[in-house]
Amino acid sequence: MEKRFLEFCEKQDLFTPHRRVLVALSGGLDSMNLYELLYKNKERLKIHLVLAHVNHGQRPESDLEESELRTLADRRETRIHVAHYSGDFTEAKARTFRYDFFKQIMEKEDCTALVTGHHANDQAETTFMRLIRGTKLRHLSGIPVRQPFGKGELIRPLLTFTKDELMEIPHFEDSSNDSQDYFRNRVRHQYLPEFEKENPQMQVSLRYLAEEVTHWHQALKELTSELTIQDLSSFRTYSHSVQSFLLEEYLAQFPDLQLGRVQFQELLDLLRKKRNCVHYLKSNYELHQEYDFFEIQKISQKSDDQLLPFLLEFGNIFEIANYKLSFGQPLVGENVEILSVSRETPILIRRRKEGDQLLVNGHHQKLRRWFINHKIPISLRQKALIIEQNHNILSVVGLVTSDLSQPSKSGIMKDSLYIQKIDR
């Protein structure tokens, strides 16, 4: 097994980008196998290990197991972090608690990877559980070997091994694994054994299904990568099947927005037909649709708007959102835009309003039309900073500069407004 494990890790380059690795250690057979394999081969894999254990406090032996794991870590000179769960216990709450804890320790220990002991049986069970719950086809792809997590990656190097293939090494047996109160346990001990009476290779079939769905999804992503979705003039030319897939891909960037089938179809119908609307979805998300463009955005507190409108006097500096604006005082560093302005009157910084116009390439154009023509996302339009002086728009920060902000040979005293993009 150790040879196969190393071959898999090296073939997949699982640890090449990582130097400090956090191992989720429950004490069960799977996580103890994982720790044993990583510990024995940490020099070859060129990684430094840190351990994380969650004491859920649901069994009398939980504290003893924690103590034994601490002793093992001390003996092997591996740093270990332990968290204690409290409050009402459910599978979902405990999982959220664990992974929030893992993220904290990754940050604290400067780890770029979290490694867990999920194996092939977990893959089959997860796929079957999702089938029972009625998930979308794309989610039958099961558990990925690696995926983004926190500021790094979540890696599962044991997914190619079944539980029977794991090494028989000292570990703790969790008595709650036999409890029928938990969905996964019922799948493991009741549902799957019944199906295996018809097909002894049921778990293998489920793993093949997950793998096939993964390949299907990846192929569709590649084949549709050049298609646009937020540009509705293009989106509406595609078949309904392609539209559905593209919308699912777009929604994947909002993991906390979980739309049911009815809600998803309602959203799809809005994009196919309706124009110019703001539609509340759920979980504090809204659909913004204007002409041939749509965007889904989180409803958030607009604290920056409390600062606007703002009059910037000559010689002063103002910071808002991700920008620093300096009237007359040069800014040092990168990403500095310079506008030619008059020194004689203050500069007004505000959001856009109805009827805004700007002079571009010798022609006056409504700002609203300029946004539409250049397919500026609705979220950027709403957050756009307007630079105005003497009732004329000089710039929409980061998007477009008016002809009026160009250097002039007139007798008006000129100076400069410095605009710098900053990280906050």
Side-chain angles (χ1 to χ4, degrees):
M1 179 184 176
E2 182 177 345
K3 181 181 177 183
R4 282 178 55 203
F5 175 82
L6 283 171
E7 287 175 350
F8 180 72
C9 290
E10 292 175 344
K11 182 179 179 181
Q12 299 292 324
D13 286 327
L14 294 185
F15 296 101
T16 302
H18 305 291
R19 287 296 169 264
R20 294 180 63 81
V21 171
L22 182 66
V23 182
L25 189 66
S26 68
L29 180 63
D30 45 9
S31 72
M32 294 299 281
N33 265 262
L34 177 66
Y35 177 41
E36 186 71 18
L37 290 165
L38 291 175
Y39 179 79
K40 289 179 65 176
N41 297 282
K42 62 183 188 296
E43 282 79 17
R44 176 166 172 173
L45 295 173
K46 299 178 181 177
I47 54 175
H48 176 83
L49 301 180
V50 181
L51 303 178
H53 172 72
V54 175
N55 182 340
H56 293 96
Q58 299 302 301
R59 298 172 291 112
E61 57 269 28
S62 295
D63 291 340
L64 174 62
E65 291 171 5
E66 175 191 329
S67 176
E68 291 293 327
L69 292 177
R70 286 184 182 275
T71 300
L72 173 64
D74 287 343
R75 186 168 70 248
R76 292 186 168 181
E77 298 182 339
T78 310
R79 190 192 301 271
I80 186 170
H81 296 266
V82 177
H84 295 84
Y85 182 87
S86 61
D88 295 335
F89 183 88
T90 67
E91 287 181 274
K93 288 180 179 179
R95 186 184 187 282
T96 299
F97 178 86
R98 283 197 304 275
Y99 283 90
D100 285 346
F101 171 61
F102 296 152
K103 285 181 184 177
Q104 293 171 13
I105 301 306
M106 284 179 69
E107 184 85 20
K108 182 177 181 179
E109 289 284 356
D110 196 27
C111 294
T112 56
L114 168 69
V115 190
T116 65
H118 293 92
H119 48 72
N121 297 70
D122 295 318
Q123 180 73 285
E125 291 165 6
T126 297
T127 301
F128 196 54
M129 290 165 70
R130 290 175 177 174
L131 271 172
I132 294 173
R133 285 172 171 153
T135 189
K136 285 181 173 291
L137 179 61
R138 65 174 49 225
H139 298 310
L140 293 182
S141 56
I143 311 170
V145 172
R146 62 199 306 171
Q147 68 186 78
F149 179 77
K151 293 184 178 180
E153 262 193 316
L154 171 54
I155 301 174
R156 304 176 178 97
L158 297 184
L159 273 184
T160 58
F161 297 91
T162 65
K163 189 171 183 178
D164 290 341
E165 293 176 301
L166 299 181
M167 301 177 292
E168 189 54 49
I169 59 176
H171 64 280
F172 301 107
E173 289 290 349
D174 187 343
S175 58
S176 67
N177 285 339
D178 296 324
S179 171
Q180 301 305 300
D181 293 336
Y182 303 117
F183 183 32
R184 184 175 290 275
N185 288 349
R186 293 195 296 275
V187 166
R188 180 178 301 162
H189 301 301
Q190 292 184 27
Y191 308 153
L192 275 175
E194 284 299 312
F195 278 87
E196 286 170 341
K197 291 177 182 178
E198 297 292 337
N199 176 12
Q201 297 298 308
M202 181 66 182
Q203 293 202 36
V204 176
S205 298
L206 287 168
R207 294 200 296 272
Y208 282 155
L209 173 62
E211 185 177 339
E212 194 169 333
V213 171
T214 299
H215 292 325
W216 160 84
H217 181 241
Q218 186 59 39
L220 278 180
K221 281 186 69 172
E222 292 175 9
L223 291 171
T224 59
S225 61
E226 300 299 321
L227 303 184
T228 57
I229 175 171
Q230 289 178 268
D231 181 353
L232 290 171
S233 59
S234 298
F235 177 75
R236 288 170 179 152
T237 65
Y238 308 140
S239 71
H240 282 200
S241 297
V242 173
Q243 289 175 356
S244 181
F245 177 80
L246 289 176
L247 181 57
E248 285 188 3
E249 281 299 291
Y250 178 76
L251 291 173
Q253 64 184 290
F254 309 104
D256 55 335
L257 175 60
Q258 299 294 322
L259 297 182
R261 282 190 172 85
V262 173
Q263 294 166 319
F264 179 84
Q265 189 59 48
E266 183 180 87
L267 174 58
L268 200 51
D269 290 340
L270 283 173
L271 298 181
R272 287 170 176 166
K273 300 174 184 177
K274 198 164 183 178
R275 303 171 72 90
N276 300 349
C277 71
V278 176
H279 179 77
Y280 181 76
L281 298 171
K282 61 183 291 191
S283 306
N284 224 24
Y285 279 94
E286 285 181 335
L287 164 70
H288 289 255
Q289 187 173 333
E290 186 174 344
Y291 293 93
D292 288 331
F293 188 88
F294 87 90
E295 186 168 44
I296 290 173
Q297 53 185 261
K298 189 90 169 180
I299 305 170
S300 58
Q301 184 180 2
K302 301 178 178 63
S303 57
D304 283 336
D305 285 349
Q306 298 172 7
L307 303 173
L308 300 177
F310 183 85
L311 275 178
L312 183 62
E313 302 285 350
F314 179 74
N316 291 339
I317 295 176
F318 176 64
E319 287 192 18
I320 184 169
N322 293 320
Y323 291 97
K324 179 186 290 186
L325 299 94
S326 174
F327 190 176
Q329 298 186 47
L331 295 175
V332 179
E334 300 177 348
N335 304 317
V336 178
E337 178 186 0
I338 304 175
L339 303 183
S340 181
V341 297
S342 169
R343 187 188 302 180
E344 298 176 341
T345 55
I347 293 171
L348 177 65
I349 304 166
R350 61 172 176 83
R351 297 295 187 200
R352 67 172 178 152
K353 62 184 180 184
E354 190 67 29
D356 276 342
Q357 292 189 6
L358 73 163
L359 183 64
V360 181
N361 298 326
H363 299 283
H364 286 281
Q365 185 176 22
K366 285 189 175 181
L367 181 57
R368 183 166 174 267
R369 174 49 56 186
W370 187 92
F371 281 150
I372 293 171
N373 290 346
H374 289 79
K375 299 180 180 178
I376 304 300
I378 295 172
S379 60
L380 290 184
R381 303 182 202 183
Q382 293 174 335
K383 297 175 183 177
L385 291 178
I386 308 297
I387 307 297
E388 177 185 309
Q389 191 174 47
N390 296 321
H391 306 292
N392 293 311
I393 293 179
L394 303 182
S395 171
V396 182
V397 177
L399 295 176
V400 60
T401 299
S402 166
D403 294 353
L404 297 174
S405 65
Q406 302 301 321
S408 170
K409 295 181 180 180
S410 68
I412 300 176
M413 186 179 295
K414 286 288 183 177
D415 213 293
S416 297
L417 174 68
Y418 301 87
I419 304 173
Q420 183 177 38
K421 184 81 180 293
I422 57 176
D423 293 324
R424 280 190 165 184

